[in-house]
Amino acid sequence: MAEDQAASAVEGAARMTMLHRQASLGYQVNHLARLLENRLRDQIAHTGVKPGQFAQMLALYEEDNLTQHELCERVGIDQSTMAHTLRRMERDGLISRTVDPDDRRRSRNKLTDHARELEPELTELARQVNTRATTDIPAEEIEAFMATLARIIADLERH
């Protein structure tokens, strides 16, 4: 009897400390990101662009001819991952790299004409994925969700 009560107390404590996936912000946001990435991959596969290259493409569409360090800051990934991605993008004909005239140790990453030609299609396909993901959600809820995400991201980047 005492052993059963002790076991029950341990199980109860474990349940109280357990973090359920549905209650975890990190899990839910990560799951959403994976689902969106999979949809995006399916939509853009015929272009030859990979989802792992998409954030860099968007950053370069916003401002071209950036250094690796500048891209890391804008996209929020580490230098080694960025270096690998940029090598693949260069190999795939999406960017060209030139020596920075202000600092010969750095290179500048510039979108190729091919990548520029893909911009309207890639951005439209991404919009379609986002629209599909939010079809049944009122616009004001999406705006509130995006504002909340921006606040969470800003808070995490500060600390």
Side-chain angles (χ1 to χ4, degrees), residues 87-149:
R87 278 193 302 274
R88 286 185 59 193
M89 290 175 72
E90 184 175 31
R91 178 201 69 198
D92 295 345
L94 298 171
I95 62 167
S96 62
R97 300 167 99 178
T98 58
V99 174
D100 186 337
D102 297 330
D103 184 344
R104 300 197 58 77
R105 296 170 295 176
R106 296 187 304 205
S107 63
R108 293 263 165 203
N109 301 283
K110 186 171 178 53
L111 291 168
T112 62
D113 290 342
H114 170 65
R116 281 274 168 216
E117 290 166 5
L118 290 173
E119 182 179 5
E121 182 178 12
L122 288 174
T123 55
E124 177 56 29
L125 292 170
R127 279 189 193 94
Q128 289 174 16
V129 169
N130 290 334
T131 298
R132 173 59 196 102
T134 59
T135 296
D136 298 327
I137 303 171
E140 54 276 355
E141 285 186 37
I142 296 301
E143 289 173 21
F145 176 71
M146 294 300 286
T148 301
L149 278 178

Side-chain angles (χ1 to χ4, degrees), residues 12-149:
R15 277 194 301 274
M16 288 178 56
T17 60
M18 185 183 299
L19 178 62
H20 294 281
R21 291 172 303 163
Q22 294 78 10
S24 168
L25 175 66
Y27 178 86
Q28 293 290 71
V29 169
N30 190 30
H31 187 139
L32 174 61
R34 283 193 317 265
L35 291 170
L36 289 169
E37 179 180 359
N38 289 338
R39 289 287 172 101
L40 182 64
R41 177 181 292 108
D42 293 344
Q43 292 297 312
I44 68 173
H46 69 278
T47 69
V49 175
K50 308 289 185 256
Q53 300 168 332
F54 199 76
Q56 290 81 346
M57 299 276 292
L58 290 178
L60 290 168
Y61 287 146
E62 292 168 6
E63 184 179 353
D64 206 359
N65 207 31
L66 297 173
T67 65
Q68 179 175 318
H69 179 73
E70 290 167 333
L71 275 167
C72 286
E73 287 180 344
R74 292 177 191 197
V75 175
I77 62 172
D78 64 81
Q79 291 276 352
S80 62
T81 301
M82 181 63 76
H84 177 72
T85 302
L86 292 174
R87 278 193 302 274
R88 286 185 59 193
M89 290 175 72
E90 184 175 31
R91 178 201 69 198
D92 295 345
L94 298 171
I95 62 167
S96 62
R97 300 167 99 178
T98 58
V99 174
D100 186 337
D102 297 330
D103 184 344
R104 300 197 58 77
R105 296 170 295 176
R106 296 187 304 205
S107 63
R108 293 263 165 203
N109 301 283
K110 186 171 178 53
L111 291 168
T112 62
D113 290 342
H114 170 65
R116 281 274 168 216
E117 290 166 5
L118 290 173
E119 182 179 5
E121 182 178 12
L122 288 174
T123 55
E124 177 56 29
L125 292 170
R127 279 189 193 94
Q128 289 174 16
V129 169
N130 290 334
T131 298
R132 173 59 196 102
T134 59
T135 296
D136 298 327
I137 303 171
E140 54 276 355
E141 285 186 37
I142 296 301
E143 289 173 21
F145 176 71
M146 294 300 286
T148 301
L149 278 178

